[in-house]
Amino acid sequence: MNSKLKITLIAIFTLVGSMSATAQDEALIYGKLTTIDGDTYTGQIRWGKEEAFWTDLFNGNKDENENYRYLSRDERNDLRDDRRSRRWSGFNISWSSDYETTHEFQARFGDISKLEIHRRSEVKLTMRNGEVVYVENGSNDFNTTIHVMDGELGKSSFKWSRVEMVEFMDTPKNLDEKMGDALYGTVESYAGEFTGYIQWDHDERLSTDVLDGDTRDGDVKIQFGKLESIERERGGSNVVTKSGREMYLRGSNDVNSDNKGIIVTTEYGRIDIPWREFKKVTFSDAPKGGMTYSQFANMKKLSGTVTTTDGETLKGDIIYDLDEEYSFEMLQGEDDDVEYIIPMEFVKSISPKNYDYSNIVLKNGKELLLGESRDVSEDNDGVLVFVNGSKDPKYVRWDDIKTITFN
């Protein structure tokens, strides 16, 4: 081969490899952590044992909900009576006079500008649009260890009590040091096939994470980056490595029914597949692209048209379930034990079908029938519509909604 041609081909292959790595690097969480003593560490961030990508979720409970102030006394009493009725029918009787309920908070790390720890059980979040939200403990995202791959010092781990603030920022196009690459592939389940970024057993996200299990010869630990596929089989799993080695593993929650589930992050949201619905995962290289931090900046208020069962049409800004009012907030529901968590920005319309389920149409054309969640069932508190920009919104009970179509 001509030496000049050989050098050119090597350069091309090197560039292609670099572009692929770069595309994945920009999808990793990155920022600056400040300790309570004022020391700072900057680099790739992993939240606890799980979250590593901008599309991963920070979870908790909202400290308060000021939107109930828009309801009249009669509307508040109706909400309270509805809840009493539902509790009675479910034999879970409570005569509390409080009409307010605790609302869960979920947002992608890419939606957050800054996180300040006020105490072990509360954080102050500044969102990308400047909105400030106080979130209380409601998940393992609190009181966890935060890891930072500092460009100079390498990987450092910080207890929750030592952290004052985390400021998120654009991930460099090429990280010299990182904790691992994305797990990506196709999951086959009884609910269908889903392709995207993989979160195994709700924990393992990166190529350097380890799959643990017992063979007939003893315990093995295999990095996920070396795996081709995992297939559920009897009380364990058949595992194939990229080199073609096959083995049957058991005796670990990574490969048996103690597995917490497989999460697939797709182009329209997260799908959480329980072990009993799982069949097989086949790993592949992540595509070029992936959501970078800059792509989360365009936050908008929810707006659209609410059509009531009486034929009334209301247009304006919308507060959904008396809680969600921005495009970054999440719609949650289940279909045959498979849980969907979808950013509201991807939702085109919601139509309640009965007490437990709603028909969801996404902006990419996909349709889902989701239930088992307050977002899509009779437990929903209804919507507020600021018709024609009015500061005094119109309240529509969930029972009175026919369809909500978002802009």
Side-chain angles (χ1 to χ4, degrees):
M1 179 182 292
N2 182 284
S3 60
K4 290 185 178 180
L5 177 60
K6 183 176 180 180
I7 292 173
T8 301
L9 289 174
I10 291 174
I12 291 173
F13 292 143
T14 301
L15 176 61
V16 171
S18 173
M19 288 173 61
S20 178
T22 296
Q24 291 186 21
D25 287 358
E26 289 187 278
L28 296 166
I29 300 174
Y30 187 90
K32 181 174 73 174
L33 181 147
T34 302
T35 69
I36 57 176
D37 294 324
D39 298 323
T40 61
Y41 300 81
T42 301
Q44 178 198 356
I45 293 174
R46 186 168 190 182
W47 210 266
K49 296 180 180 179
E50 301 175 6
E51 293 82 8
F53 295 89
W54 292 122
T55 51
D56 291 339
L57 299 181
F58 183 84
N59 298 274
N61 292 320
K62 289 188 176 179
D63 191 14
E64 59 182 18
N65 185 353
E66 297 182 353
N67 294 321
Y68 287 103
R69 74 183 189 275
Y70 291 116
L71 273 59
S72 66
R73 178 178 297 179
D74 287 343
E75 290 168 337
R76 295 176 184 179
N77 289 337
D78 286 343
L79 264 183
R80 180 196 60 203
D81 293 343
D82 285 345
R83 293 197 185 108
R84 283 179 174 178
S85 176
R86 290 195 292 270
R87 288 167 182 162
W88 177 271
S89 64
F91 302 101
N92 179 19
I93 304 171
S94 172
W95 296 110
S96 169
S97 61
D98 190 2
Y99 53 85
E100 296 189 26
T101 58
T102 298
H103 286 264
E104 184 178 2
F105 176 87
Q106 293 179 316
R108 297 164 296 184
F109 275 83
D111 296 318
I112 303 170
S113 176
K114 180 169 60 176
L115 181 149
E116 300 169 79
I117 298 177
H118 280 198
R119 52 181 184 267
R120 294 182 67 87
S121 60
E122 183 187 71
V123 298
K124 174 185 176 183
L125 297 178
T126 302
M127 309 306 292
R128 297 292 297 276
N129 62 353
E131 184 79 8
V132 173
V133 184
Y134 289 89
V135 181
E136 295 180 331
N137 190 357
S139 76
N140 62 358
D141 292 334
F142 287 73
N143 302 319
T144 191
T145 300
I146 302 173
H147 311 277
V148 181
M149 183 65 82
D150 186 273
E152 181 179 9
L153 304 177
K155 183 179 178 181
S156 298
S157 300
F158 303 89
K159 293 182 179 179
W160 187 261
S161 59
R162 294 294 305 167
V163 179
E164 178 179 285
M165 176 172 60
V166 179
E167 299 169 271
F168 300 103
M169 57 188 69
D170 290 322
T171 310
K173 291 184 178 180
N174 190 13
L175 292 173
D176 293 331
E177 290 189 82
K178 56 185 176 180
M179 300 178 207
D181 292 316
L183 296 184
Y184 186 90
T186 298
V187 174
E188 301 171 40
S189 75
Y190 290 102
E193 289 190 4
F194 305 96
T195 298
Y197 293 89
I198 307 295
Q199 187 169 338
W200 186 263
D201 190 28
H202 284 201
D203 286 331
E204 291 85 6
R205 300 297 325 274
L206 300 173
S207 58
T208 52
D209 290 337
V210 172
L211 181 82
D212 182 42
D214 295 330
T215 69
R216 58 189 176 187
D217 299 318
D219 180 60
V220 296
K221 298 180 185 295
I222 313 169
Q223 285 191 350
F224 273 85
K226 298 178 179 179
L227 297 179
E228 177 71 23
S229 65
I230 305 170
E231 185 172 11
R232 183 165 68 98
E233 177 67 26
R234 306 188 305 278
S237 296
N238 289 320
V239 175
V240 180
T241 68
K242 289 184 177 179
S243 67
R245 297 179 68 174
E246 300 182 20
M247 61 193 76
Y248 179 73
L249 299 184
R250 56 187 175 81
S252 162
N253 63 326
D254 278 344
V255 293
N256 65 20
S257 59
D258 290 330
N259 188 299
K260 295 187 289 290
I262 297 88
I263 296 173
V264 186
T265 300
T266 70
E267 61 180 3
Y268 58 85
R270 290 160 56 96
I271 298 99
D272 190 348
I273 303 164
W275 185 254
R276 63 183 174 274
E277 297 289 329
F278 168 73
K279 292 182 179 180
K280 181 180 180 180
V281 59
T282 302
F283 296 104
S284 56
D285 293 334
K288 297 177 182 179
M291 290 194 72
T292 65
Y293 189 55
S294 62
Q295 292 177 279
F296 290 84
N298 188 27
M299 292 182 175
K300 298 178 180 178
K301 282 196 169 185
L302 296 179
S303 64
T305 302
V306 176
T307 303
T308 71
T309 54
D310 291 334
E312 186 178 11
T313 299
L314 305 169
K315 296 183 179 181
D317 288 342
I318 295 172
I319 298 180
Y320 185 78
D321 190 22
L322 295 186
D323 177 43
E324 290 90 4
E325 52 186 309
Y326 293 99
S327 59
F328 68 80
E329 304 196 69
M330 301 291 158
L331 181 80
Q332 187 171 350
E334 293 185 14
D335 179 15
D336 289 335
D337 296 324
V338 174
E339 182 184 48
Y340 292 77
I341 302 178
I342 304 170
M344 294 295 290
E345 65 177 301
F346 300 139
V347 178
K348 180 179 180 180
S349 67
I350 301 171
S351 302
K353 305 309 285 185
N354 52 41
Y355 293 122
D356 296 322
Y357 285 86
S358 293
N359 188 64
I360 312 298
V361 179
L362 303 183
K363 291 180 179 178
N364 66 0
K366 186 177 181 64
E367 293 191 32
L368 299 166
L369 184 64
L370 300 182
E372 305 301 326
S373 163
R374 65 171 297 142
D375 283 342
V376 291
S377 71
E378 64 174 349
D379 290 329
N380 191 300
D381 279 343
V383 301
L384 294 168
V385 187
F386 294 79
V387 181
N388 297 324
S390 170
K391 294 183 180 181
D392 185 20
K394 168 83 173 184
Y395 172 60
V396 185
R397 291 160 48 104
W398 182 253
D399 291 346
D400 297 328
I401 296 172
K402 181 179 180 181
T403 299
I404 304 172
T405 303
F406 296 99
N407 292 335

